[in-house]
Amino acid sequence: MTIFEKIIAREIPADIVHEDDLCIAFRDVSPQAPTHILIIPKKVIPRIGETTGDDQSLLGHLLLTAGNIATDLGVNSTDSGFRLVINNGKNGGESVPHLHIHLLADRPLEWPPG
Ligand code: DGP
């Protein structure tokens, strides 16, 4: 069981900002920006590269939820803005093998990423 499954099961604490039937979102324990939220499906999926057509609506839900959270947190404007990131595998920087979308905001973010 990954650390994220334990957060879903409330076996370890997290600063949860959203929860619904399909997903949960909480603040990253090691924030890389003043606002750093992780949006994760409750379904156990290791990474985006292992999703299938069966996950189409779930993936759409995760993205819509990320946008809604950005709105709730006041960063969904062209003046402020935010970035969504999905790390996949070793070169992608994945460290927790449970699909998650990073939502980063409240500082200027460089491009290209490091
Ligand atoms: P990634 O490197 O893309 O797999 O991102 C994993 C993120 O998960 C990383 O930014 C740190 C975060 N993280 C790891 N363990 C915990 C935890 O126990 N609680 C919370 N809130 N975040 C965690």
Side-chain angles (χ1 to χ4, degrees):
M1 183 187 264
T2 67
I3 199 96
F4 289 176
E5 285 173 79
K6 291 179 181 171
I7 288 174
I8 293 167
R10 302 298 203 279
E11 290 177 15
I12 63 167
D15 187 353
I16 294 167
V17 299
H18 170 86
E19 181 170 19
D20 60 42
D21 288 350
L22 297 175
C23 71
I24 188 166
F26 51 89
R27 292 187 188 276
D28 195 295
V29 78
S30 177
Q32 301 303 307
T35 295
H36 188 169
I37 308 292
L38 301 173
I39 300 107
I40 75 171
K42 290 183 174 175
K43 178 181 177 182
V44 177
I45 303 173
R47 57 194 57 83
I48 191 72
E50 293 184 36
T51 55
T52 71
D54 289 345
D55 300 312
Q56 181 167 329
S57 63
L58 174 60
L59 292 172
H61 179 77
L62 294 174
L63 286 174
L64 286 168
T65 300
N68 289 338
I69 291 170
T71 299
D72 292 346
L73 295 176
V75 298
N76 188 8
S77 74
T78 49
D79 279 347
S80 53
F82 62 93
R83 183 176 293 172
L84 303 180
V85 174
I86 300 176
N87 297 326
N88 190 105
K90 186 177 172 187
N91 282 352
E94 173 197 314
S95 60
V96 179
H98 183 118
L99 177 62
H100 48 284
I101 300 173
H102 296 259
L103 189 165
L104 299 147
D106 283 320
R107 73 167 172 85
L109 297 165
E110 293 178 8
W111 192 262

